[in-house]
Amino acid sequence: MQRLRSAVSGATLGMFVLAASISCRSAYSEDGTATVWPTQQWQTSTPEEQGMDSAALAKLLDFGATRSLDSLLLVRHGRIVLDAYYAPYAADIPHRINSATKAVVGTLVAIARKDGLLDSFDHPMLEFFSDRSIANVDDRKKAVTIQNLLDMTSGLDWKEPLDGRPDTMIEMSRQQDWTQFVLDRPMSSAPGDIFNYNSGGPHVLSAIVAKLAGMNTSDYAKAKLFGPLGISISNWWRDPQGIPIGGFGLALLPRDMAKIGYLYLRNGQWEDRSLLPLDWIDKVSHATVNMNMPRAPDLRYSNLFWALPEKNVYIADGYHCQLIMVLPKLDIVAVTTARDFCPLGKLTDLIAGAVKSETALPPDAAGANLLAEKIRELSTEKATEVGATPEIASAISGKTYKFPANALGVKSLSLTLIAPDPHYDVEAYARDRSQPPLRFSGPIGLDGLYRKGQLTASGIFATKGKWLNGSTFEVERQAVGMDELQKWTLSFDGDRLNLRGKNREGRDVSVDSEPGG
């Protein structure tokens, strides 16, 4: 008994020592200065004051332009040293972070564990759903744990390759009960055996967080994560049951994305509070689960974060380069939002290459001017070429064209082009055909520049159009901050209109308007 008490006492002492160690590391940045907390707002600094090179960051911004970035933000030693936005995106527009949502859900699971709502990461998944009738239950499914869901090693049968079509995720999105769909999946391997990318597992975790907290996952996030960090602007897509989607769908401002990264950089500490369990950050920052990607064999995974251990970086990673990157040894948080893929290793190298010192560098006026001019250049939209306005423009302006049911979902379309305020009006078929059509309207730029519409429940849309020839008009509509670009080609022939574009799955679709418009 005495040995047991001594062991418990020693273990307890060890935990206090570890906690004190983490607390001390959190109180001071890597450069030895007192930690800056951006709860109210971020402090800013020149790159040189934080040991980084402005000219190198200007080259980083050029790289971002080749990768269709919307924003690029860097924090070093707790201060923003780079905060750039590529037009038409702007700093005040929440950006959909796609699968980086998973890392936020994982963080909420960690908070639930820290708060005592979750007893163990090894708790079996099915025990949270004893009120449901679940299909394909066998000993392997009974053994699936929270940790398996966090590491994408559940063994559930799921097809969502990182380099291919996400068939099972698409199938899930068509269900009325996403959680049930995931729970009912058969097993393809024993839990813990192999990594298999799966957006369904994080959705089950979102449902579990809601059960544990007794409130919606989004409300729990606001109370336990967003609130303490000073994040006040967010929106989160939900499934048909009202559960915030665990695998994607959260939108945040880039500066708020950086706060989440900063929480991890400071070992789960925020001001005078410890928000995450002591061992959570250690597991994330020392990821060991092999993602089995032949083209990127060094990638590892842990707790819904990606990692490149040899580059000392771990990442909340979303489709098309929505990234929260944590580089602990360099005391850096990097955030990108984008509309295309980007190479993680190359991006990490460019960021690390801009670090020249752990302490301040001499001022660099030429580099500072170069960087400032680059930021101004990127934030100013450049007009694309437009064709001459043909005679047909006045004939079709204001005319409404109606369409039969089609894969583009367009019920009717009207363009008002000959007016002081060119604009479009669209009716879209509702997915549930018993519901009334959805209506969208907005300005359209005819001078090669986007025109932004008002903020709606679907986001902010920026639209421009141009004539390709005497009867063909092209519309380009961007969901700003949502990684979506829609192009339609409209060919006019008398009273008929042929509309061409890509559907949600990227397939080409062509549809003719109904006779008589």
Side-chain angles (χ1 to χ4, degrees):
M1 180 63 74
Q2 182 60 41
R3 285 200 302 268
L4 176 59
R5 286 174 179 163
S6 297
V8 172
S9 176
T12 303
L13 177 61
M15 290 295 286
F16 277 120
V17 170
L18 178 58
S21 170
I22 289 177
S23 179
C24 288
R25 291 201 305 272
S26 301
Y28 292 91
S29 299
E30 291 296 320
D31 63 349
T33 60
T35 295
V36 176
W37 296 109
T39 310
Q40 299 305 317
Q41 65 178 19
W42 283 102
Q43 293 186 25
T44 60
S45 168
T46 67
E48 280 68 27
E49 287 172 341
Q50 307 306 324
M52 299 188 77
D53 180 50
S54 290
L57 294 182
K59 292 181 180 179
L60 175 61
L61 290 177
D62 284 334
F63 173 77
T66 69
R67 294 292 172 171
S68 299
L69 289 195
D70 283 333
S71 68
L72 202 164
L73 184 152
L74 293 181
V75 173
R76 190 166 200 228
H77 302 329
R79 293 167 175 83
I80 289 178
V81 297
L82 178 63
D83 192 17
Y85 300 87
Y86 297 71
Y89 185 66
D92 60 348
I93 301 174
H95 204 291
R96 201 68 54 185
I97 66 172
N98 298 338
S99 284
T101 302
K102 294 177 172 70
V104 175
V105 170
T107 302
L108 295 177
V109 173
I111 292 173
R113 176 73 181 102
K114 181 74 166 58
D115 287 351
L117 300 179
L118 175 65
D119 60 347
S120 169
F121 295 124
D122 293 325
H123 196 117
M125 170 187 72
L126 292 185
E127 289 187 5
F128 295 100
F129 301 99
S130 58
D131 57 331
R132 291 177 179 255
S133 176
I134 297 172
N136 299 305
V137 174
D138 58 15
D139 288 341
R140 293 183 299 177
K141 185 178 284 191
K142 290 177 182 177
V144 175
T145 66
I146 295 292
Q147 191 62 60
N148 294 141
L149 297 176
L150 291 167
D151 288 342
M152 301 234 178
T153 58
S154 68
L156 292 171
D157 182 42
W158 198 272
K159 186 177 181 181
E160 192 180 342
L162 290 167
D163 58 354
R165 178 183 161 88
D167 288 334
T168 314
M169 188 188 77
I170 293 171
E171 188 179 356
M172 176 180 72
S173 70
R174 294 169 175 162
Q175 309 300 311
Q176 282 300 307
D177 190 333
W178 292 21
T179 304
Q180 188 71 43
F181 174 81
V182 180
L183 294 173
D184 283 346
R185 300 297 297 173
M187 299 293 290
S188 62
S189 64
D193 273 7
I194 190 170
F195 174 89
N196 184 36
Y197 196 80
N198 177 344
S199 290
H203 191 67
V204 169
L205 289 173
S206 178
I208 289 172
V209 167
K211 280 177 170 284
L212 292 172
M215 66 178 76
N216 185 277
T217 311
S218 177
D219 292 335
Y220 187 67
K222 290 174 182 177
K224 295 294 185 174
L225 178 61
F226 299 162
L229 272 55
I231 297 173
S232 59
I233 298 175
S234 66
N235 60 70
W236 201 333
W237 287 341
R238 304 187 182 203
D239 75 359
Q241 302 295 313
I243 298 172
I245 299 172
F248 52 90
L250 177 62
L252 295 168
L253 298 174
R255 286 192 171 207
D256 289 340
M257 293 168 66
K259 290 182 178 181
I260 294 172
Y262 197 63
L263 171 67
Y264 277 81
L265 187 67
R266 295 292 169 253
N267 299 297
Q269 188 82 11
W270 197 266
E271 296 185 343
D272 60 349
R273 299 174 60 184
S274 177
L275 300 183
L276 301 175
L278 298 179
D279 57 351
W280 178 267
I281 304 291
D282 184 66
K283 190 173 188 303
V284 170
S285 60
H286 296 88
T288 59
V289 177
N290 193 331
M291 295 178 68
N292 302 312
M293 295 185 65
R295 289 186 293 180
D298 296 329
L299 275 173
R300 296 295 181 268
Y301 203 82
S302 179
N303 288 350
L304 300 177
F305 279 81
W306 298 43
L308 286 167
E310 82 287 355
K311 294 185 183 294
N312 297 299
V313 60
Y314 57 92
I315 309 159
D317 189 315
Y319 182 78
H320 274 175
C321 204
Q322 324 307 325
L323 306 177
I324 303 172
M325 309 175 71
V326 182
L327 295 84
K329 289 188 176 181
L330 297 177
D331 202 30
I332 285 175
V333 172
V335 167
T336 67
T337 59
R339 289 166 286 112
D340 202 354
F341 297 107
C342 62
L344 297 179
K346 175 69 171 177
L347 182 59
T348 302
D349 289 343
L350 289 171
I351 293 168
V355 176
K356 305 302 180 183
S357 172
E358 285 305 309
T359 57
L361 298 170
D364 179 2
N369 289 335
L370 176 66
L371 181 59
E373 179 57 34
K374 182 63 62 177
I375 292 173
R376 282 193 294 270
E377 175 188 329
L378 296 172
S379 64
T380 304
E381 186 183 352
K382 298 174 181 63
T384 53
E385 186 176 343
V386 296
T389 303
E391 292 183 5
I392 197 174
S394 58
I396 62 98
S397 184
K399 180 177 175 62
T400 298
Y401 295 87
K402 298 179 180 179
F403 297 89
N406 58 84
L408 294 177
V410 178
K411 182 178 176 66
S412 71
L413 169 65
S414 174
L415 296 176
T416 301
L417 303 179
I418 307 300
D421 57 340
H423 61 276
Y424 64 88
D425 295 282
V426 175
E427 278 188 321
Y429 287 101
R431 286 193 176 186
D432 180 354
R433 294 300 168 83
S434 66
Q435 298 298 312
L438 307 173
R439 290 179 170 81
F440 305 96
S441 299
I444 182 169
L446 301 178
D447 55 359
L449 298 172
Y450 284 108
R451 296 293 188 275
K452 292 179 184 175
Q454 298 295 314
L455 177 64
T456 69
S458 301
I460 295 175
F461 292 90
T463 310
K464 62 182 178 181
K466 63 179 180 181
W467 287 98
L468 302 180
N469 54 45
S471 61
T472 305
F473 187 75
E474 182 182 80
V475 176
E476 188 172 297
R477 185 170 179 256
Q478 182 180 148
V480 183
M482 290 179 62
D483 179 31
E484 291 181 13
L485 181 64
Q486 188 178 57
K487 281 188 178 182
W488 287 345
T489 302
L490 288 67
S491 297
F492 297 93
D493 183 9
D495 289 335
R496 304 291 292 271
L497 168 61
N498 173 260
L499 174 63
R500 298 188 302 280
K502 292 186 181 296
N503 65 6
R504 291 176 178 270
E505 298 175 358
R507 295 192 174 96
D508 291 323
V509 175
S510 176
V511 58
D512 291 321
S513 64
E514 295 175 342

